[in-house]
DNA sequence: AACTCGCTCGATAACGTTTACGGAAACAAT
DNA sequence: ATTGTTTCCGTAAACGTTATCGAGCGAGTT
């Protein structure tokens, strides 16, 4: 024998199907068949086996089962972090749909780092999931695109799907299911709402060149300005990530630099809006009396600060990602590309600008 | 041959170590050794192998590896839901620590249902994780205790650890690492703070008999009342779960029933506080001018609504859970039981009661 | 009575790794 | 030149499960 049976270093061992078989006085094949329910067994044998399973508290070894080729029931999801409400809700959607389709769900986090994301995809690939769902928002340079594209092909070769969730396709020939939001349309609506209320100096918080979501939103912002023939002032676009403390930091810095040269704020997401709002309040400015504000997401902080914002169906995004991947696995064809709609939710954070 | 090689139903196949070996002109053992770095190989062979790996874009099959007995690098975490900020932060802590110890992390959700939690533990058990971390807050009846206790023993038998995170031990003889908060102490401090400000009629939002966290907090609430010799009125304890909309519902119902008979609110957590606050505002009552309020958690909503609350180190809870499990796996001995401290964070939601 | 089914169930070959064991070179020492 | 010592690498046996094949055995058909 090459090494101790069923062994790990600490000398512990799992109950195996063989022990169940011995105890029940049948063969391993019979136990396997009965447990998988794939075959008609005699009622007497069946109850003998079930009793042995109970007594030994047996659970099948998932790895052996997977190796043997049958089970293919896992879905991997990779997000920036689970403490971001947006990712949490998308992950929740993935979980829910995966559970409904009785799949196990594996979550990995990247912290928004492209390198770690690539490594995580490789890591997930080892487990042969049915789908790898990428939810993060990373800076995609050419190197990244090339490697991720290679991984997408490798995934496709083993019958697994790469799903790009909330981000645009990698390229025309990269096999990936894509499901994203109408970020540009939402940002266009949000900015237009402020413009219709007479605001012309609108601060954009959360510019982040290279990050697709941020890029798409700022594009909507610029488009709306152009459509309303309001001059675009690059100085009104402030760089920052999509977190609460970043919103606070950006607004603090802006206010420290001099008197506010804007009447409204469009924040890249609700988190930023919440942080910026806190900075405004600490500076003695009120929302919406002194400064109007619109956010993006419509997640929990929005209701608490009475924020007008753009709603996106976060959980639905996750559910759709799973559903499309599974459907595509069954039906084949070219990978689908779906865009989910967004819409403005009116609350009390916007007032018409006082003229004269 | 029993069935098609390397097969799944759709006829796709993975690159195996054998193909790498053939391409490199060496044996599979050599490839395995080189990839695991467990053995000195000749530089020439090494580069041949690495090139073949590159060209074939080979990644090892995790299941085969696990079956073979070496890898033991996965940690399972089971939570109620990932969209609850508290669980999200704990999960984040688990993820971070697991990543630092280079473990894969698997998340499962239960929706707070005891039955689903038990099923999820069984499901995770199939994968032989190093530890199963239970973070949820479920109603523990005798049936539940008995089954979970059995699972704990089964887990221990295969060298895996059950970790109870944020909840009390199952029993003295159940092998489980326990790491929890000082919920009672925190609630005592929160209630005392309100009492010191002259409040005597304090509404408690979020009673939930049988749920350990809720029970521990309400115990602190009652203890504080007793310590300050303030009569305890059971009618001031309102039943409800720990979600935002529940806080809203509870407060709405209370206000609909008649004029407020309280001057302060102690909410089971910040989410409840945020919901209750919204209901108060819709009813024309201001916080803290008309009603003082204290929460529990110190998570994002707290800062936005300027809520005085009890801080607990959420991420640290998750990190500690992983760390203790891994340490115990190395060192053995009786499973540790740790209690993490909490403290009051003063913001602007509490005012002294106006007397006379 | 011989034969053919149909129904259960047992023996066994895979699945893709890792690792103990042993063999074959290469090199140093006598 | 022979032996002893390394160094490197190939053979093959596990790990625990599932699926194929075929054996045994009653019952039904000629």
């Amino acid at each position: 024998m090459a090494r101790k049976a069923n062994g790990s270093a600490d000398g512990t061992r799992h109950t195996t199907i063989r022990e169940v078989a011995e105890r029940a006085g049948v063969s391993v094949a019979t136990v396997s068949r009965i447990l998988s329910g794939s075959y008609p067994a005699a009622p007497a044998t069946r109850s003998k086996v079930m009793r042995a399973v109970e007594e030994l508290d047996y659970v099948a070894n998932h790895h052996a089962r997977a190796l043997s080729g049958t089970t293919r029931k896992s879905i991997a999801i990779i997000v920036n972090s689970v403490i971001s409400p947006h990712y949490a809700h998308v992950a929740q959607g993935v979980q829910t749909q995966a559970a409904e389709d009785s799949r196990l769900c594996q979550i990995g986090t990247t912290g928004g780092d492209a390198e770690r994301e690539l490594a995580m995809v490789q890591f997930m690939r080892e487990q042969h999931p049915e789908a790898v769902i990428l939810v993060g928002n990373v800076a995609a340079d050419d190197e990244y695109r090339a490697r991720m594209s290679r991984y997408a092909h490798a995934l496709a070769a083993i019958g697994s799907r790469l799903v790009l969730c909330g981000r645009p396709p990698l390229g025309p020939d990269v096999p990936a299911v894509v499901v994203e939001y109408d970020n540009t349309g939402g940002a266009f609506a949000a900015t237009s709402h402020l413009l219709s209320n007479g605001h012309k100096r609108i601060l954009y918080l959360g510019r982040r060149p290279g990050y697709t979501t941020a890029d798409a939103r700022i594009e909507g912002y610029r488009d709306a300005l152009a459509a309303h023939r309001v001059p675009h002032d690059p100085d009104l676009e402030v760089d920052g990530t999509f977190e609460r403390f970043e919103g606070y930091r950006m607004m603090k810095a802006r206010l420290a630099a001099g008197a506010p040269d804007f009447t409204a704020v469009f924040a890249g997401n609700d988190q930023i809006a919440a942080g910026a709002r806190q900075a405004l309040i600490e500076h003695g400015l009120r929302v919406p009396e002194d400064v109007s504000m619109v956010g993006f997401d419509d997640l929990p902080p929005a209701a608490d600060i009475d924020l007008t914002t753009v709603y996106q169906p976060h959980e639905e995004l996750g559910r759709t990602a799973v559903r499309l991947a599974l459907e595509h696995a069954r039906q084949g064809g070219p990978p689908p590309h779906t865009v989910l709609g967004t819409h403005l939710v009116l609350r009390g954070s916007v007032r018409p600008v006082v003229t004269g």
Side-chain angles (χ1 to χ4, degrees), chain A:
Chain A
M1 196 188 316
R3 61 177 182 283
K4 133 173 63 73
N6 191 350
S8 41
D10 41 39
T12 56
R13 41 175 293 115
H14 315 140
T15 312
T16 72
I17 200 172
R18 178 160 291 121
E19 300 169 48
V20 175
E22 276 172 19
R23 184 169 195 119
V26 298
S27 76
V28 290
T30 304
V31 177
S32 172
R33 277 190 289 251
I34 288 179
L35 288 182
S36 67
S38 63
Y39 223 73
T45 336
R46 166 175 217 87
S47 62
K48 266 194 305 184
V49 168
M50 294 313 270
R51 187 142 38 85
V53 166
E54 275 293 315
E55 288 169 2
L56 293 173
D57 203 12
Y58 167 79
V59 294
N61 181 325
H62 178 249
H63 300 300
R65 194 174 260 175
L67 188 58
S68 169
T70 34
T71 41
R72 176 64 158 250
K73 294 194 154 296
S74 133
I75 286 181
I77 165 173
I78 301 177
V79 299
N80 283 13
S81 95
V82 282
I83 59 174
S84 153
H86 168 64
Y87 293 132
H89 280 254
V90 175
Q92 174 77 4
V94 169
Q95 291 266 357
T96 312
Q97 186 67 45
E100 277 178 24
D101 293 324
S102 55
R103 260 76 174 176
L104 174 66
C105 189
Q106 222 142 267
I107 301 189
T109 58
T110 66
D113 181 57
E115 192 59 42
R116 273 178 63 193
E117 187 183 271
L118 288 161
M120 190 61 80
V121 172
Q122 283 291 71
F123 192 53
M124 293 297 190
R125 192 140 84 78
E126 284 185 7
Q127 336 228 353
H128 307 276
E130 273 179 303
V132 176
I133 301 181
L134 248 42
V135 192
N137 189 18
V138 298
D141 59 9
D142 284 348
E143 155 81 5
Y144 170 91
R145 280 170 195 284
R147 286 175 61 192
M148 191 58 84
S149 163
R150 256 184 52 208
Y151 294 170
H153 281 101
L155 242 13
I158 63 168
S160 182
R161 266 86 201 153
L162 181 68
V163 184
L164 270 24
C165 191
R167 52 164 84 170
L170 277 165
D173 53 342
V174 180
V177 175
V178 178
V179 38
E180 54 178 330
Y181 289 132
D182 182 18
N183 279 305
T184 305
F188 186 93
T191 312
S192 297
H193 179 60
L194 289 170
L195 290 164
S196 319
N197 275 274
H199 296 279
K200 293 202 175 345
R201 301 280 300 171
I202 303 173
L203 197 65
Y204 179 86
L205 257 34
R207 201 173 71 114
R208 233 185 151 191
Y211 287 75
T212 54
T213 304
D215 284 347
R217 289 185 191 167
I218 212 163
E219 185 186 332
Y221 163 80
R222 290 175 189 162
D223 287 356
L225 291 177
H228 283 73
R229 307 202 192 294
V230 171
H232 170 237
D233 180 358
D235 185 50
L236 285 173
E237 298 177 358
V238 185
D239 285 0
T241 67
F242 276 33
E243 282 135 320
R244 191 183 194 286
F245 68 87
E246 275 282 285
Y248 180 82
R249 183 193 61 72
M250 287 186 271
M251 185 57 84
K252 268 290 192 208
R254 190 78 183 187
L255 294 174
D261 54 347
F262 52 88
T263 64
V265 173
F266 175 33
N269 71 357
D270 292 349
Q271 307 270 102
I272 292 179
R277 178 174 168 277
Q278 187 182 329
L280 283 169
I281 290 170
E282 288 179 9
H283 200 259
L285 292 169
R286 293 159 304 168
V287 177
E289 290 83 351
D290 303 311
V291 175
S292 285
M293 191 174 255
V294 177
F296 211 113
D297 271 355
D298 194 26
L299 285 170
D304 289 325
I305 59 177
D306 200 28
L307 179 71
T308 290
T309 189
V310 178
Y311 168 80
Q312 27 182 21
H314 309 272
E315 289 203 31
E316 192 56 31
L317 188 71
R319 297 186 72 116
T320 308
V322 175
R323 217 172 37 229
L324 288 183
L326 261 33
E327 272 172 21
H328 186 250
R330 277 195 304 271
Q331 304 174 359
H337 181 168
T338 305
V339 178
L340 265 47
T342 59
H343 66 259
L344 203 60
V345 176
L346 297 176
R347 290 204 184 85
S349 63
V350 174
R351 292 254 176 109
V353 72
V354 284
T355 52

